[in-house]
């Protein structure tokens, strides 16, 4: 039916006359159907990409979500997890009331009873065992005010440094990499470098599934600028590999050799950026043969030593293409292609990495080495050239790393071990000199080993599910099962999980837009949101829970009464950041913006840190000013870090490599996303990916069950052949989201001795038909 | 014919079959604001559909038909629009969520999605954002069944089938984010007749058709409003 213009005009004229006669006021109905769907901004609840969302709320419920068109991160697009946020809040089994364990049953408590009990337990433990006997285990999904409140309560109140978080399992190698190289945590580049890059190098990073929005921006860049190349360094063919121009299948731990091989090639072929290196870098080496931190109470202290360029040259000289091939399994010509990309003075190169590099027994070293490659080649501080350490969790950067909620951290790059830092914090917190304990507390695995051994009497877990995510679960969980009466475990969560199942007290939490909050994403972008709806039942924010307990213990002076708790604590925290190049924006400025990248000075954000003209803290002249590297006179450190083998390699009895990881459809342990029918049906349960050749040899068909066994545990899983990803021969991969199929009963709890971050990517297993 | 074409054709046949069954399943939730007409026309392509397609009833006239209708004017009223959209709902978490994939896909061949869902009209729903290349990032196949735990999520609905007044242009019943290009869904032989525009040659859709709610989020950044070609 084609209407002519004349007819159209006639219709329009007629409509005015007939509107009332039609008997139905459609416009009124439109308003009625959507009477109060209000849209407000919030960052996505899930990953460290930090997409901006607009949340549609009607009748006190979140009913819809769209990507925020104004957000420069995602520009209106979300991934499957982000789009399913509304249903994440609405599982029928949301925790609604505080519940106390009594034998095998739970008794409902009022909030008053529950908070008094928590306060009494902490007080009792402090009295008997001192600050060493209490702990809190938080999360990279804590909001900034939440992490800050826990930090202040523990370090300025109870004088305990036993505060750590799940980011220990995820980001500490990255932190150590930054601190040892640049003197300050967090990336210098930004996501907008994607649109300027010619080459992307992905170091063990399946971005298509784990950082989907950034991956789609990379693909858009490839489409807009043909010739843009993606190098995928990986131990299995993933969804990312499908789109890569070169897939470099490597042996586990081979990344150390590859990075060293590139450094050697740049020097040997005189392709390194001499001017940049001369002006802005120094060389250092540290201890070698540093172990794997498997022992209880393992201690390690690196011994940095400055070396000359020639000494450095000699240290990387062994990493010839042939040697790299032997250690990493990649062909010399592939290494050459990659090295040439770095050696090309015209190419803009961005490196991305996340868990493949961080969950690594040499994670700190691997971070150092990627920086070494970028520093030697001068691929840093220019739009389109940057080493970019991606984050896993929504606020691993904003909360854990910036607020410093780790056993050794204090806000904004400060450390408990530094007397000057302690004095600054004591002054800002208005507590007596000498309040802050100078001895670092227990890190994540020590928390749970301590809980199992009964050294820790009270542990509070918030916004995380450690009894699914800890490695070597039998060692780090079963002790708690056995010594239930000896210790008191408090768990704040929104759904029942394997962790709440072991809790002595369960506290129901508010989630995401059920509270005020702010997150900080991987590109230093702080994003704030306002509370939009109430949580179900009596669910309350983790912030309120923490502050109420602290007040009941007598730390009210640290947390004055207020109606705007989140905002006040954020502003309290902000004082630590201003003037030192980590300046976060004010709460009110953040309310008006989709997000702002620190340092924010005079209302202006800083997309590229250390770069003159971009960063107000950098000197005006020169290519870059690493002004946070005070100890090394504004110079970044190029570290000599050798290849060292992984602690457990396949042998006759356990002939396969096991790697673990996440999936696109589920957020970490799936406690939220599995409750969304669309996401659950897309990814219903864990599986074991293996190579077709191995399956043929073992007589296994797709869909069969196999039994995987490591020296620590065993599990039966469905075999996936040629589904999402394809491992190399001799490798298997299992995702960890499934609480009914806990792959972490098999993983090894070996750690990076510097960062204390475990390696979930490498251990030896055997595969049998089941 | 290349192998790829054969595969694409085969895939299309399967897709068309599955789509049809998915789309013609009775809606489980969200009764529309107006009761739908008895026979909702399927959105499946007539080309791959040997069975007779129930034609939309002759332009329905509202029960209390207004008297002075100008002779050549289009009939007023809600017609079939609400009904045609309702069956799409079981495919998504809420109105506005990305629809799930109602047929099997091999993740390893993701780039093949656009063979059927891209620019070319083959009968499968065309993407309103074909500039994006990784479909499986948002649209998920559903190999599993059932639920992990009960949910109490009650999806929202858009106010579909709305005009400012009986003869006014249809209001856009959805936000424009991710739907910047109108024509893939609203033009072409193989789209649902009820959704099809009568005037695809007019290139500025939003000049006359305005979103039903001015507070809805707008188009994606850096993306032109429809049509794209
Ligand atoms: S999960 Fe990550 S990529 Fe997906 S929408 Fe949320 S922030 Fe963006």
């Amino acid at each position: 039916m084609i209407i002519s213009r004349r007819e159209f005009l006639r219709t329009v004229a007629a409509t005015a006359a007939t509107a009332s006669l039609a008997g139905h006021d459609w416009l009124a109905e439109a308003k009625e159907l959507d009477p109060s769907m209000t849209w407000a901004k919030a960052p996505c609840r899930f990953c460290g990409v930090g997409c901006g969302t607009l949340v549609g709320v009607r009748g006190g419920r979140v009913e819809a979500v769209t990507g925020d068109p104004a957000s420069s991160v995602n520009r209106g697009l979300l991934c499957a997890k982000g789009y399913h946020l509304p249903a994440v809040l609405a599982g029928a089994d949301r925790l609604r009331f505080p519940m106390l364990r009594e034998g095998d049953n739970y008794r409902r408590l009022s909030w008053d009873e529950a908070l008094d009990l928590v306060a009494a337990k902490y007080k009792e433990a402090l009295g008997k065992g001192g600050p060493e006997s209490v702990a809190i285990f938080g999360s990279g999904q804590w909001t900034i005010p939440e992490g800050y409140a826990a930090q202040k309560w523990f370090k300025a109140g109870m004088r305990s440094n036993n505060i750590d978080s799940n980011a220990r399992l995820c980001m500490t190698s990255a932190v150590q990499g930054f601190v040892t190289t640049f003197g300050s945590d967090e990336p210098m580049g930004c996501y907008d470098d994607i649109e300027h890059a010619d080459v992307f190098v992905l170091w063990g990073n399946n971005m298509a599934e784990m950082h989907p929005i950034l991956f789609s921006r990379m693909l858009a860049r490839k489409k807009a600028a043909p010739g843009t190349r993606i190098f995928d360094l990986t131990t299995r063919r993933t969804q990312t590999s499908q789109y890569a121009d070169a897939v470099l299948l490597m042996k586990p731990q081979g990344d150390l050799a590859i990075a060293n091989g590139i450094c050697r090639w740049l020097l040997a072929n005189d392709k390194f950026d001499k001017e940049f290196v001369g002006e802005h870098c120094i060389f250092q080496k540290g201890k070698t043969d540093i172990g794997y931190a498997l022992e209880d109470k393992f201690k390690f202290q690196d011994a940095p030593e400055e070396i000359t360029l020639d000494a450095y040259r000699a240290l990387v000289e062994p990493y010839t293409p042939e040697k790299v091939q032997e250690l990493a399994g990649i062909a010399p010509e592939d290494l050459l292609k990659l090295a040439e990309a770095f050696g090309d003075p015209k190419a803009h190169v961005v490196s991305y990495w996340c868990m493949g590099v961080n969950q690594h027994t040499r994670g700190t070293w691997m971070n150092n080495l990627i920086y070494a490659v970028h520093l030697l080649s001068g691929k840093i501080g220019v739009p389109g050239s940057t080493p970019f350490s991606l984050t896993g969790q929504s606020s691993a950067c904003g909360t854990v790393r910036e607020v410093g909620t780790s056993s050794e951290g204090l806000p904004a790059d400060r450390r408990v071990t530094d007397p000057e830092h302690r004095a600054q914090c004591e002054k800002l917190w208005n507590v007596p000199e000498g309040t802050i304990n100078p001895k670092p507390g227990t890190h994540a695995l020590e928390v749970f080993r301590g809980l199992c051994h009964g050294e820790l009497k009270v542990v509070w877990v918030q916004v995380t599910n450690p009894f699914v995510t800890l490695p070597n679960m039998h060692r780090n969980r079963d002790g708690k099962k056995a010594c239930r009466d000896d210790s008191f475990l408090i768990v704040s969560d929104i759904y029942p999980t394997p962790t709440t199942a072991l809790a002595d007290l369960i506290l129901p939490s508010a989630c995401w837009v059920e509270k005020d909050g702010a997150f900080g994403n991987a590109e230093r972008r702080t994003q704030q949101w306002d509370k939009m709806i109430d949580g179900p039942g009596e669910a309350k924010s983790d912030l309120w829970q923490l502050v109420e307990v602290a007040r009941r213990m007598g730390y009210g002076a640290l947390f004055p009464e207020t109606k705007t708790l989140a905002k006040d604590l954020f502003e309290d925290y902000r004082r630590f950041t201003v003037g030192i190049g980590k300046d976060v924006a004010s709460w009110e400025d953040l309310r008006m913006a989709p997000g702002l990248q620190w340092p924010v000075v005079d209302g202006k954000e800083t997309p590229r840190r250390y770069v003159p003209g971009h960063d107000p803290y950098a000197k005006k002249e020169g290519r870059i000013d690493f002004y946070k590297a005070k100890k090394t006179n504004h110079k970044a450190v190029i570290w000599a870090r050798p290849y060292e083998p992984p602690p457990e390699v396949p042998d006759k009895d356990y002939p396969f490599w096991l790697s673990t990881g996440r999936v696109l459809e589920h957020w970490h342990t799936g406690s939220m996303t599995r409750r969304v029918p669309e996401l659950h049906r897309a990814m219903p349960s864990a599986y074991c990916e293996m190579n077709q050749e191995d399956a043929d040899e073992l007589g296994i068909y797709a869909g069969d069950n196999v039994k995987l066994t490591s020296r620590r545990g065993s599990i039966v899983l469905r075999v996936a052949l040629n589904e999402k990803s394809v491992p190399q021969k001799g490798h298997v991969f299992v995702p960890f989201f499934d609480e009914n199929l806990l792959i972490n009963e098999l993983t090894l709890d070996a750690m990076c001795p510097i960062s204390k971050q475990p390696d979930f990517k490498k251990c030896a297993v055997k595969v049998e038909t089941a | 014919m290349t192998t790829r074409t054969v595969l694409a054709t085969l895939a299309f046949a399967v897709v068309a079959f599955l789509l049809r069954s998915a789309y013609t399943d009775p809606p489980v939730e969200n009764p529309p604001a107006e009761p739908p007409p008895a026979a909702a026309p399927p959105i499946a392509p007539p080309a791959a559909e040997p069975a007779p397609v129930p034609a939309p009833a002759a332009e329905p006239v509202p029960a209390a038909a207004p008297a002075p209708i100008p002779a050549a004017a289009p009939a007023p009223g809600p017609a079939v629009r609400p009904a045609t959209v309702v069956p799409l709902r079981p495919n998504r978490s809420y109105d506005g969520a990305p629809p799930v994939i109602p047929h099997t896909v091999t993740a390893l061949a993701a780039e093949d999605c656009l063979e059927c869902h891209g620019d070319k009209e083959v009968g499968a729903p065309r993407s309103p954002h074909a500039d994006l290349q990784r479909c499986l990032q948002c649209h998920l196949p559903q190999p599993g069944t059932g639920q992990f735990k009960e949910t109490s999520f009650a999806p929202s609905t858009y106010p579909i089938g709305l005009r400012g007044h009986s003869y006014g242009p249809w209001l856009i019943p959805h936000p424009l984010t991710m739907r910047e290009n109108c024509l893939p869904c609203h033009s072409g032989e193989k789209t649902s007749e009820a959704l099809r525009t009568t005037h695809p040659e007019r290139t500025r859709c939003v000049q006359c058709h305005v979103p039903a709610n001015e507070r809805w989020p707008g188009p994606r950044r850096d993306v032109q409003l429809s049509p794209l070609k």
Side-chain angles (χ1 to χ4, degrees):
Chain A
M1 179 168 55
I2 307 289
I3 318 177
S4 71
R5 186 182 138 75
R6 211 155 150 229
E7 284 164 340
F8 176 75
L9 288 176
R10 214 164 31 174
T11 314
V12 171
T15 48
T18 53
S20 58
L21 297 172
H24 207 115
D25 186 348
W26 291 100
L27 199 58
E29 176 156 324
K31 296 225 166 92
E32 183 131 314
L33 274 166
D34 202 2
S36 55
M37 175 80 94
T38 52
W39 295 85
K41 59 131 191 169
C44 173
R45 167 67 185 75
F46 299 119
C47 89
V49 171
C51 295
T53 76
L54 289 171
V55 185
V57 173
R58 177 163 53 184
R61 296 185 331 121
V62 172
E63 290 204 341
V65 158
T66 81
D68 183 352
S71 165
S72 73
V73 173
N74 53 312
R75 302 155 181 212
L77 183 65
L78 297 174
C79 81
K81 288 187 293 296
Y83 281 119
H84 288 93
L85 275 161
V88 156
L89 301 175
D93 56 346
R94 272 292 293 266
L95 297 170
R96 283 156 203 272
F97 309 104
M99 306 277 264
L100 177 70
R101 174 191 296 283
E102 286 181 343
D104 283 337
N105 297 317
Y106 286 97
R107 179 163 66 87
R108 180 172 158 185
L109 296 185
S110 71
W111 267 113
D112 261 332
E113 289 169 308
L115 296 165
D116 284 342
L117 180 65
V118 177
K121 287 281 179 191
Y122 269 107
K123 266 190 163 164
E124 186 195 331
L126 276 180
K128 282 195 195 146
E132 262 82 71
S133 65
V134 296
I136 188 161
F137 187 67
S139 167
Q141 298 154 70
W142 254 343
T143 66
I144 294 170
E146 284 164 358
Y148 179 69
Q151 172 85 311
K152 196 174 184 185
W153 169 40
F154 259 68
K155 289 185 180 148
M158 294 194 288
R159 305 195 62 230
S160 171
N161 290 337
N162 287 350
I163 169 170
D164 214 33
S165 75
N166 62 3
R168 180 73 64 180
L169 312 178
C170 143
M171 291 317 304
T172 29
S173 298
V175 177
Q176 290 305 320
F178 274 117
V179 172
T180 51
T181 308
F182 303 103
S184 172
D185 191 16
E186 298 202 26
M188 57 290 302
C190 58
Y191 296 157
D192 284 355
D193 284 319
I194 294 172
E195 281 78 23
H196 301 278
D198 306 309
V199 177
F200 296 97
V201 182
L202 314 182
W203 300 80
N205 188 14
N206 180 9
M207 282 177 82
E209 291 203 66
M210 305 328 152
H211 300 88
I213 295 302
L214 298 182
F215 191 69
S216 53
R217 277 179 69 174
M218 257 166 57
L219 295 185
R221 168 67 184 165
K222 251 174 91 84
K223 201 172 177 182
T228 308
R229 285 176 300 157
I230 300 178
F231 284 90
D232 181 26
L233 278 68
T234 180
T235 59
R236 62 182 177 129
R237 272 183 186 278
T238 63
Q239 301 259 292
T240 303
S241 315
Q242 282 182 51
Y243 299 86
D245 300 272
V247 181
L248 276 61
L249 280 171
M250 62 176 181
K251 291 185 191 168
Q253 205 92 344
D255 44 2
L256 290 161
I258 294 173
N260 272 306
I262 299 172
C263 293
R264 182 203 161 272
W265 186 90
L266 289 170
L267 292 177
N269 293 283
D270 216 23
K271 295 280 192 192
F272 70 106
D273 190 334
K274 287 179 214 72
E275 182 210 317
F276 184 87
V277 172
E279 294 270 294
H280 303 291
C281 306
I282 60 162
F283 296 89
Q284 283 188 359
K285 66 174 188 181
K287 283 189 191 163
T288 55
D289 197 8
I290 59 177
Y292 303 101
L294 278 159
E295 310 81 1
D296 280 344
K297 305 237 172 357
F298 174 91
K299 290 270 175 297
F300 176 81
Q301 188 66 50
D302 204 3
E305 187 189 321
E306 191 169 340
I307 53 174
T308 61
L309 170 61
D310 284 335
Y312 175 79
R313 212 186 271 270
L315 286 169
V316 293
E317 188 45 40
Y319 297 94
T320 58
E322 296 67 35
K323 183 70 181 169
V324 172
Q325 181 169 33
E326 179 198 322
L327 294 171
I330 66 162
E333 54 272 25
D334 285 345
L335 180 70
L336 185 66
K337 267 191 231 141
L338 184 58
E340 279 172 349
F342 281 102
D344 177 355
K346 286 208 263 344
H348 291 103
V349 187
V350 173
S351 281
Y352 284 120
W353 67 97
C354 200
M355 291 311 130
V357 164
N358 295 338
Q359 292 178 339
H360 194 309
T361 49
R362 294 292 177 268
T364 306
W365 286 13
M366 219 18 245
N367 277 273
N368 288 150
L369 284 170
I370 298 175
Y371 297 132
V373 170
H374 277 262
L375 290 167
L376 280 174
S377 57
K379 305 279 181 223
I380 188 166
V382 190
S385 269
T386 194
F388 198 104
S389 156
L390 293 165
T391 337
Q393 303 181 74
S394 41
S395 201
C397 284
T399 304
V400 175
R401 295 166 66 171
E402 291 164 27
V403 180
T405 61
S406 63
S407 54
E408 68 280 355
L410 287 168
D413 273 345
R414 295 180 177 90
R415 298 270 166 273
V416 296
T417 44
D418 185 323
E420 208 178 303
H421 291 171
R422 289 200 303 276
Q424 289 163 355
C425 294
E426 283 157 357
K427 196 157 162 249
L428 284 163
W429 276 331
N430 203 14
V431 292
E433 219 172 284
T435 298
I436 298 170
N437 188 338
K439 199 171 144 253
T442 51
H443 60 78
L445 286 191
E446 292 290 349
V447 169
F448 292 94
R449 289 173 190 172
L451 186 67
C452 293
H453 297 162
E455 288 151 18
L456 286 168
K457 298 299 177 203
V458 188
V459 176
W460 190 347
V461 173
Q462 283 198 327
V463 212
T464 185
N465 191 4
F467 294 131
V468 177
T469 53
L470 291 172
N472 194 359
M473 198 59 83
H474 292 290
R475 175 176 181 185
N476 296 302
R477 171 198 63 199
D478 294 358
K480 171 60 193 156
K481 277 187 183 164
C483 68
R484 197 166 252 170
D485 298 338
D486 199 37
S487 59
F488 196 72
L489 177 66
I490 306 145
V491 179
S492 300
D493 209 326
I494 69 168
Y495 288 113
T497 66
T499 305
T500 61
L502 286 185
D504 299 292
L505 178 67
I506 302 174
L507 300 176
S509 290
C511 179
W512 195 43
V513 298
E514 295 164 358
K515 60 188 180 189
D516 295 325
F519 284 157
N521 81 352
E523 56 162 3
R524 294 174 282 108
R525 185 177 298 280
T526 319
Q527 313 199 72
Q528 177 276 354
W529 73 92
D530 287 333
K531 177 177 170 174
M532 300 175 201
I533 60 170
D534 286 324
E538 292 176 5
K540 292 279 196 182
S541 76
D542 299 288
L543 176 62
W544 181 85
Q545 299 172 22
L546 288 164
V547 169
E548 276 301 310
V549 168
R551 285 179 182 152
R552 275 159 215 252
M553 289 180 70
Y555 301 116
L558 298 176
F559 302 100
E561 283 297 334
T562 165
K563 287 214 164 56
T564 49
L565 189 58
K567 174 182 166 179
D568 288 11
L569 282 166
F570 184 88
E571 291 295 340
D572 190 13
Y573 154 65
R574 192 162 87 90
R575 299 175 305 142
F576 290 79
T577 68
V578 287
I580 58 165
K582 303 211 91 168
D583 322 40
V584 294
S586 75
W587 186 265
E588 285 306 321
D589 283 352
L590 289 167
R591 286 189 76 192
M592 308 315 290
L596 292 170
Q597 284 180 286
W598 59 258
V600 181
V601 179
D602 297 332
K604 268 183 70 189
E605 58 179 337
T606 303
R608 289 187 186 82
R609 212 179 165 198
Y610 307 140
V611 182
H614 291 245
D615 183 341
Y617 284 94
K619 288 198 292 269
K620 295 288 165 287
E621 62 290 337
R623 276 166 70 181
I624 205 157
D625 176 15
F626 296 115
Y627 57 84
K628 295 294 279 183
K630 296 221 175 70
K631 278 193 205 139
T632 49
N633 198 16
H634 291 218
K635 293 191 176 186
V637 180
I638 296 175
W639 283 91
R641 302 291 202 187
Y643 173 90
E644 283 181 9
E648 186 180 87
V649 292
D651 55 16
K652 185 165 75 354
D653 299 326
Y654 298 92
F656 282 85
W657 280 109
L658 166 68
S659 178
T660 68
R662 302 186 280 179
V663 294
L664 165 76
E665 295 82 356
H666 289 305
W667 175 243
H668 284 189
T669 62
S671 59
M672 293 184 277
T673 46
R674 294 186 90 196
R675 284 171 168 84
V676 178
E678 287 78 10
L679 295 176
H680 173 65
R681 291 197 292 261
M683 181 49 70
S685 57
Y687 51 85
C688 171
E689 266 168 9
M690 63 191 297
N691 187 282
Q692 183 75 52
E693 273 184 56
D694 289 324
D696 290 347
E697 273 169 30
L698 291 164
I700 293 167
Y701 294 91
D704 281 1
N705 282 340
V706 286
K707 185 170 166 205
L708 295 190
T709 308
S710 77
R711 291 183 177 84
R712 294 154 295 279
S714 95
I715 186 176
V716 174
L717 290 152
R718 176 184 72 87
V719 166
L721 293 177
N722 305 317
E723 287 186 13
K724 273 197 156 183
S725 306
V726 182
Q728 298 177 71
K729 187 164 156 42
H731 292 232
V732 294
F733 171 88
V734 180
F736 71 81
F737 70 84
D738 192 336
E739 65 182 51
N740 301 320
L741 296 167
L742 289 180
I743 190 61
N744 278 321
E745 302 203 332
L746 278 65
T747 49
L748 179 66
D749 50 347
M751 290 180 255
C752 167
I754 304 175
S755 69
K756 314 292 187 298
Q757 176 168 351
D759 186 332
F760 293 86
K761 305 289 188 189
K762 301 171 203 80
C763 74
V765 295
K766 64 180 168 198
V767 181
E768 298 157 301
T769 48
Chain B
M1 270 210 305
T2 63
T3 327
R4 199 178 167 88
T5 328
V6 175
L7 280 176
T9 318
L10 267 175
F12 166 59
V14 175
V15 170
F17 173 74
L18 287 166
L19 275 180
R20 200 182 104 69
S21 42
Y23 286 159
T24 49
D25 279 348
V28 288
E29 281 173 298
N30 293 318
E34 284 286 306
I43 292 184
E49 169 50 292
V53 181
E59 293 285 46
V61 180
I69 300 176
V80 289
R81 290 190 186 223
T84 43
V85 180
V86 167
L88 289 167
R89 287 200 166 135
N91 266 2
R92 45 183 110 209
S93 178
Y94 54 91
D95 273 6
V100 296
I101 303 174
H103 54 83
T104 49
V105 289
T106 316
L108 290 174
E111 75 274 16
D112 289 345
C113 300
L114 291 178
E115 290 270 328
C116 300
H117 299 285
D119 273 356
K120 232 172 29 227
E121 255 217 303
V122 295
R126 285 184 295 158
S127 168
H129 40 251
D131 56 312
L132 299 169
Q133 298 155 70
R134 222 185 105 65
C135 318
L136 296 177
Q137 178 175 302
C138 300
H139 301 282
L140 303 173
Q142 304 276 285
T145 52
Q147 297 201 341
F148 176 62
K149 296 275 152 70
E150 285 296 305
T151 180
S152 59
F153 183 60
S156 73
T157 53
Y158 288 144
I160 49 179
L162 299 175
R163 298 173 162 194
H165 46 74
S166 302
Y167 298 93
W170 299 106
L171 299 178
I172 301 177
H174 51 71
L176 291 174
T177 329
M178 300 308 296
R179 297 169 189 81
E180 291 84 4
N181 188 358
C182 307
L183 295 183
C185 304
H186 295 288
S187 77
E189 294 279 291
K190 294 187 169 122
T191 49
S192 152
E193 194 184 336
L195 292 179
R196 203 181 305 152
T197 178
T198 55
H199 44 274
E201 71 285 359
R202 297 217 175 106
T203 53
R204 279 275 305 155
C205 313
V206 290
Q207 183 173 306
C208 300
H209 301 277
V210 295
N213 188 329
E214 76 276 10
R215 290 190 303 266
W216 277 340
R220 271 180 300 150
R221 222 176 93 179
D222 310 330
V223 174
Q224 287 289 308
L225 260 187
S226 68
L228 292 179
K229 43 192 213 108

